[in-house]
Amino acid sequence: MTAYFIQAFIYLCAAVIAVPLAKRLGLGSVLGYLVAGVIIGPVTGLVGQETATIQHFAEFGVVMMLFVVGMELEPQMLWNMKARLLGLGGAQVAITTALIAWAAITMGQVWSIALAIGLIFALSSTAIVLQTFQEKQLSRTEGGRSAFSILLFQDIAVIPMLALIPLLALPELVNTGAAHSSGHHDELSLVANLSGWTHAVVVIAAIVGVIAGGHYLAHPLFRYVVKSGLREVFTATALMLVIGIAALMSLVGLSPALGAFLAGVVLANSEFRHELESTIEPFKGLLLGLFFITVGAGISFSLLLEHAGTILALTLCVMHLKAAVLYGLALIFRIRGTDRWLLTLSLAQAGEFGFVLLGYSTQNHVLPTELAQILSMVVAISMFLTPGLFILFDRIIVPRFTQKNNQQQKEDDIDQQGPVIISGIGRFGQIVNRMLTANGYQTVILDHNLSQVETVRQFEIKSFFGDSTRPDLLHTAGIESARLLVVTIDDKEKAISLVRHVKKAYPHVQILARAFDRGHNYELKRAGADWIVSETYHSALEMGGEALKSMGLHPFRVEQMKAAMLEKEQRHEAEMYEAWKKIDEDIKFSHQYTRLFIELEKALSEAINYDRYDRHTRSEHGWVPPPKGYARQIEKEFRDDPC
Amino acid sequence: MKNILILFAHPSPHRSEVNLPLFQACEDTPGITCVDLYAEYPTFNIDISREQQRLVNHDVVVFMFPLYWYSTPSLLKEWQDLVLEHDFAYGSKGKALQDKLFFCALTAGGAEKGYQHEGYNHFTIRELLSPMEQMANITRMRYLPPYALFGARTAVEEQRLDQHISGFIQLLDDFKAGEIDHISTADFITLNEFVRSQEADI
């Protein structure tokens, strides 16, 4: 037990020190984790043999990441991507495999080994690339989307690759290896002893099961859990879901990451999406970080020094070749400008699936162990260099293009305006939302009341379950890129703390808030809300106007009265607020709450009386006819001095 | 039998001494459609298709208003801007108003002699209303001179109101019967003069 604590402490400590440092230096968190791994692994030797075991565990971070990625991708969007997915992804995998295999053959490898190497290096690192895209907010660019479709295709392509690799087994390796691995038992599998077509049936049934389960079972399950009101049970359910899918996929021999992705896509439309995302997010982040550390720690300095020249040369060859293929594809698919370079540089590395395939290939006697070790160094080093390529993209390519196409860049920015987040979808929030969506603005709606979310979902208003006062949920809802936050939640105190938090953490977000009464209004104002409306004020004003009309007042005059009333209120708004602040502070000190209201009432009635005597209101001013004798006066003046 | 539509525009009817009693007298006369525009559209949110339908349903269109800076109150201008659309009121397909009779029933603060080339207003009332006249022309309506009350601020004190109102009701009866058109009234600066000349004939 002690040993585990010490190890866990070393890993966490390395991450805590290295990652913020790397981020501050503008190198990105991935490089920070990698360096942390190198330091605790090969440099200081604090951790060692267990990295391989931990790596298997940490790969689960990739599964979670694809689950989260899937949730951000609705089925419709995935369908719209199909051309890019098959065309771009298919071409990248096929061409890269072929070129690398050809290169290996010219270096004197047999064709079967060459093909295996080609397949291994055709894959890129989903973990590094998607994590970096998210961090640098590149996911929504053309280049980011293209890279994503290639990565997705690669994840799918791993499945036939795993089927193909055993067929490439070398007879001489099988013979020598048979003695070694006779005792090695197969992994738990449902499909190991099935014939081809039953295997296919089981696989399809599993996929259909995941989709149908996500569609029909997830909702009642989460509903049941949410009604219990225990947050940790929700977390447990989310983990259970992802782990369960991963287990099922592994059992039928599919990629767990792909299964999780599918489940994510199915749940993309669910009202629990944001809550799920924010629950999974920290696990995903930690496990991915752990994964990157193990990649760094797994670099063997002795092997590296021994074959330094070969490994470095191979790494550079592979990366150049992959980059060249990507650049060519970007040309063919008409991806322009910075996007072309983003695609080229982001996917030039080999990926974590490379490790998996390498291990699998040696197990199946396709690759000799020594070659596999060198190749796994190549994979690790290429992953290690990737953050460097992103820095190159950020520091050199982007500035050059922004100088060149300044105008084009600006147009793109307008196109990608941030969404509006509406917190609280009661009767009030619904009207605000309807106004926004009817005019084509995208909204993200959050409400902590599940039955409310379910009710408005029946009216095709897309809303999500979750407590918007929790910072992580706001984060998954996209508060960083939001332009506007509308606060219409029922809980007075929570509304104030939400406004205060958002104004402090994201000062660029404009906040519109609904207040219950004057005191709440001022408290929201003090918390930093940009615009506040008291919930009953305008409807009361309307009814007051209607009452005047019923008493026989002309409708147009009633409008003037309403305007005058509003104006009066607004004119004294600032001084009332100052008075409130002062009184509020005094009272906090003396605990005499009732005095606050008495003092406020006094201030307000004084203000209104002032108006009454001053008579400077719109209703007194408007459309007053000239005095009775005015025409004669003008006439006289004209006669005296005709003009 | 012609249908008459009165579009009344007064932003402060509670202070009105002439226009409101005149409008109320019209409301009490059967067979005339009376619309208080400021009451129907206090927020200026004019229902365009409803107003167009009203025009289509009538043969005589009257703007009733106090003269504000030699023009209509702002809501009546807004009404023109919104309701008289291309392809409805004008343009090659806009013939909805063809051959309808149009005139203004207005009150002016200044005395009639002020509205002369030599007077302090420098223009006759017909000249000042030329935008309205041209609006009628381009919408293929028949423009008639205005029914006007000058020196309106002192009309009550000078006991001119009753005669103004009864004259107007009589005029509307003649319109209803189809006895007045743009040809018989063409030579007059105001409809009031036309009425006087008719009385003189009798």
Side-chain angles (χ1 to χ4, degrees):
Chain A
M1 200 63 191
T2 321
Y4 281 124
F5 283 145
I6 291 173
Q7 257 181 20
F9 179 72
I10 290 171
Y11 275 100
L12 289 173
C13 196
V16 167
I17 294 171
V19 175
L21 200 64
K23 198 108 202 249
R24 179 163 296 183
L25 295 174
L27 305 175
S29 66
V30 176
L31 192 60
Y33 284 118
L34 289 171
V35 170
V38 170
I39 289 169
I40 61 170
V43 173
T44 58
L46 286 172
V47 295
Q49 313 86 343
E50 78 286 348
T51 47
T53 333
I54 292 181
Q55 193 161 11
H56 286 307
F57 178 62
E59 267 165 27
F60 193 59
V62 181
V63 175
M64 286 183 163
M65 180 172 65
L66 275 156
F67 181 68
V68 171
V69 167
M71 269 195 294
E72 277 166 14
L73 212 69
E74 288 165 28
Q76 185 60 42
M77 270 166 76
L78 191 63
W79 181 248
N80 294 342
M81 272 172 55
K82 62 186 185 300
R84 207 176 345 196
L85 190 68
L86 294 177
L88 206 53
Q92 188 270 340
V93 171
I95 297 172
T96 313
T97 307
L99 284 177
I100 288 178
W102 171 77
I105 288 173
T106 55
M107 285 183 215
Q109 298 289 355
V110 261
W111 71 270
S112 63
I113 292 182
L115 182 56
I117 295 175
L119 292 174
I120 288 162
F121 284 132
L123 304 177
S124 309
S125 173
T126 312
I128 293 183
V129 177
L130 291 193
Q131 179 72 12
T132 313
F133 278 178
Q134 225 172 43
E135 211 170 286
K136 298 188 186 291
Q137 301 192 334
L138 293 167
S139 314
R140 282 176 194 192
T141 61
E142 173 78 13
R145 270 190 284 222
S146 303
F148 175 74
S149 28
I150 291 178
L151 288 169
L152 197 59
F153 183 85
Q154 290 176 353
D155 282 346
I156 301 168
V158 169
I159 303 154
M161 285 183 190
L162 287 171
L164 179 68
I165 282 172
L167 305 178
L168 302 173
L170 292 172
E172 59 269 30
L173 284 182
V174 176
N175 292 339
T176 54
H180 278 290
S181 60
S182 54
H184 180 84
H185 69 94
D186 275 312
E187 263 193 66
L188 199 58
S189 171
L190 272 180
V191 289
N193 305 316
L194 295 178
S195 62
W197 71 270
T198 39
H199 185 167
V201 169
V202 171
V203 167
I204 291 169
I207 292 176
V208 171
V210 167
I211 293 174
H215 213 274
Y216 297 106
L217 294 181
H219 180 82
L221 175 66
F222 281 118
R223 218 184 112 87
Y224 168 73
V225 170
V226 163
K227 295 261 155 163
S228 80
L230 297 167
R231 241 195 87 63
E232 67 275 16
V233 182
F234 190 90
T235 310
T237 317
L239 286 176
M240 181 194 80
L241 187 80
V242 180
I243 293 175
I245 290 162
L248 176 67
M249 289 293 125
S250 305
L251 276 175
V252 301
L254 286 182
S255 145
L258 191 69
F261 174 76
L262 264 182
V265 172
V266 174
L267 290 174
N269 281 324
S270 151
E271 60 262 55
F272 301 102
R273 177 180 133 189
H274 288 289
E275 186 76 14
L276 264 174
E277 251 184 274
S278 64
T279 307
I280 295 286
E281 195 84 42
F283 293 99
K284 179 208 95 175
L286 270 181
L287 285 173
L288 271 185
L290 188 59
F291 174 76
F292 297 134
I293 291 181
T294 60
V295 171
I299 289 175
S300 150
F301 271 17
S302 56
L303 196 69
L304 191 61
L305 288 178
E306 205 179 317
H307 302 278
T310 329
I311 291 174
L312 282 179
L314 278 179
T315 309
L316 290 179
C317 270
V318 167
M319 292 181 82
H320 274 102
L321 207 141
K322 290 191 76 167
V325 171
L326 289 164
Y327 190 84
L329 286 176
L331 277 179
I332 295 169
F333 281 80
R334 302 221 176 84
I335 300 163
R336 282 170 229 279
T338 50
D339 290 317
R340 182 186 297 165
W341 282 105
L342 180 62
L343 182 66
T344 304
L345 294 177
S346 64
L347 297 180
Q349 78 294 100
E352 56 279 358
F353 281 116
F355 291 127
V356 177
L357 288 187
L358 274 169
Y360 192 68
S361 304
T362 24
Q363 266 171 41
N364 283 287
H365 320 296
V366 180
L367 293 177
T369 318
E370 201 180 331
L371 180 61
Q373 275 178 343
I374 292 178
L375 292 181
S376 95
M377 271 308 107
V378 174
V379 174
I381 302 279
S382 74
M383 284 166 81
F384 201 92
L385 292 178
T386 304
L389 295 184
F390 274 110
I391 293 168
L392 179 76
F393 175 77
D394 267 354
R395 302 268 164 92
I396 294 173
I397 289 168
V398 172
R400 187 179 297 174
F401 273 88
T402 35
Q403 272 170 13
K404 221 160 63 177
N405 306 331
N406 228 343
Q407 218 140 13
Q408 229 173 328
Q409 285 294 69
K410 266 181 200 149
E411 279 168 17
D412 279 348
D413 283 348
I414 294 166
D415 192 41
Q416 288 219 335
Q417 50 171 244
V420 179
I421 297 178
I422 299 178
S423 164
I425 189 71
R427 287 161 303 174
F428 202 100
Q430 281 172 40
I431 294 174
V432 179
N433 179 58
R434 216 176 300 150
M435 289 283 280
L436 285 160
T437 48
N439 289 290
Y441 292 99
Q442 200 196 330
T443 57
V444 176
I445 297 163
L446 303 170
D447 200 300
H448 70 287
N449 181 344
L450 181 59
S451 49
Q452 190 65 47
V453 172
E454 281 174 342
T455 315
V456 299
R457 274 200 162 228
Q458 287 170 356
F459 299 105
E460 314 236 314
I461 298 174
K462 207 169 182 187
S463 57
F464 300 99
F465 165 77
D467 181 352
S468 52
T469 52
R470 276 189 13 243
D472 50 348
L473 191 78
L474 277 178
H475 168 77
T476 57
I479 189 82
E480 282 91 349
S481 60
R483 283 229 309 237
L484 188 64
L485 171 71
V486 176
V487 180
T488 50
I489 51 179
D490 282 339
D491 190 315
K492 273 188 181 183
E493 293 307 315
K494 277 191 169 178
I496 295 164
S497 69
L498 174 62
V499 169
R500 194 180 298 126
H501 165 69
V502 171
K503 206 65 206 175
K504 207 168 148 201
Y506 313 100
H508 67 279
V509 179
Q510 211 193 337
I511 303 177
L512 310 185
R514 181 266 312 256
F516 286 90
D517 49 33
R518 195 177 292 279
H520 193 225
N521 189 318
Y522 292 152
E523 285 193 73
L524 285 167
K525 187 170 180 168
R526 185 161 60 181
D530 296 286
W531 190 86
I532 305 148
V533 65
S534 291
E535 77 169 339
T536 50
Y537 191 77
H538 288 277
S539 36
L541 203 63
E542 282 300 307
M543 192 183 258
E546 207 53 43
L548 289 179
K549 270 188 238 172
S550 304
M551 296 309 288
L553 227 58
H554 191 271
F556 190 66
R557 187 153 188 231
V558 170
E559 283 307 315
Q560 309 317 308
M561 295 304 194
K562 279 153 69 179
M565 187 86 177
L566 261 178
E567 214 172 273
K568 220 181 272 178
E569 187 80 23
Q570 274 160 4
R571 194 155 356 123
H572 299 290
E573 180 64 33
E575 47 187 290
M576 289 289 294
Y577 174 59
E578 289 307 319
W580 171 83
K581 262 206 308 204
K582 199 172 165 296
I583 299 167
D584 189 51
E585 273 157 26
D586 288 351
I587 283 173
K588 257 187 206 138
F589 200 64
S590 62
H591 297 285
Q592 290 178 308
Y593 292 104
T594 41
R595 225 186 78 202
L596 171 75
F597 297 102
I598 297 168
E599 295 274 327
L600 269 180
E601 208 49 50
K602 219 165 79 187
L604 186 67
S605 64
E606 266 169 26
I608 287 176
N609 276 332
Y610 173 77
D611 272 330
R612 200 170 291 149
Y613 298 123
D614 194 38
R615 300 180 78 83
H616 269 282
T617 63
R618 205 176 153 78
S619 56
E620 294 299 331
H621 259 314
W623 303 280
V624 179
K628 293 276 182 192
Y630 91 105
R632 223 168 292 135
Q633 182 63 29
I634 295 178
E635 180 76 42
K636 185 174 165 289
E637 281 168 23
F638 178 72
R639 256 186 281 117
D640 295 347
D641 177 21
C643 56
Chain B
M1 172 81 179
K2 293 196 185 277
N3 295 317
I4 300 174
L5 172 66
I6 296 178
L7 296 168
F8 173 62
H10 198 309
S12 58
H14 65 290
R15 280 188 280 246
S16 169
E17 293 177 5
V18 177
N19 273 284
L20 189 64
L22 181 64
F23 181 67
Q24 282 166 343
C26 296
E27 280 182 313
D28 295 339
T29 311
I32 299 169
T33 310
C34 298
V35 178
D36 180 352
L37 285 177
Y38 274 95
E40 281 200 27
Y41 306 114
T43 58
F44 277 52
N45 200 5
I46 291 171
D47 183 342
I48 296 171
S49 29
R50 178 185 185 198
E51 292 303 314
Q52 290 181 343
Q53 192 53 50
R54 271 181 177 150
L55 287 175
V56 169
N57 292 347
H58 295 84
D59 311 299
V60 182
V61 179
V62 184
F63 281 4
M64 183 184 285
F65 58 93
L67 196 67
Y68 277 19
W69 288 115
Y70 312 105
S71 182
T72 67
S74 57
L75 181 57
L76 193 48
K77 177 63 167 63
E78 185 86 340
W79 182 96
Q80 294 174 51
D81 298 350
L82 292 172
V83 178
L84 304 178
E85 288 179 315
H86 184 259
D87 283 353
F88 169 75
Y90 69 103
S92 55
K93 285 184 226 150
K95 294 181 180 168
L97 307 184
Q98 190 151 16
D99 293 335
K100 294 183 191 300
L101 302 181
F102 172 84
F103 71 96
C104 298
L106 60 89
T107 60
E112 189 162 14
K113 61 177 190 268
Y115 288 90
Q116 284 164 5
H117 291 171
E118 305 76 32
Y120 68 88
N121 279 320
H122 296 294
F123 300 97
T124 67
I125 191 69
R126 179 149 191 176
E127 284 167 342
L128 288 171
L129 292 177
S130 54
M132 227 72 73
E133 183 165 355
Q134 182 52 24
M135 174 205 84
N137 288 340
I138 206 104
T139 57
R140 302 182 166 90
M141 291 196 284
R142 304 298 187 179
Y143 182 80
L144 281 69
Y147 184 75
L149 179 70
F150 295 96
R153 287 296 285 144
T154 46
V156 176
E157 287 80 354
E158 294 159 13
Q159 274 109 42
R160 288 184 282 130
L161 185 57
D162 289 343
Q163 197 216 341
H164 184 70
I165 292 175
S166 60
F168 190 61
I169 300 300
Q170 179 58 48
L171 195 65
L172 292 183
D173 277 343
D174 294 347
F175 270 110
K176 234 188 286 181
E179 287 165 9
I180 305 179
D181 62 18
H182 57 289
I183 300 163
S184 52
T185 56
D187 295 335
F188 299 94
I189 290 176
T190 62
L191 281 181
N192 313 56
E193 274 181 28
F194 168 76
V195 171
R196 276 197 290 273
S197 76
Q198 294 251 317
E199 280 164 0
D201 284 352
I202 298 163

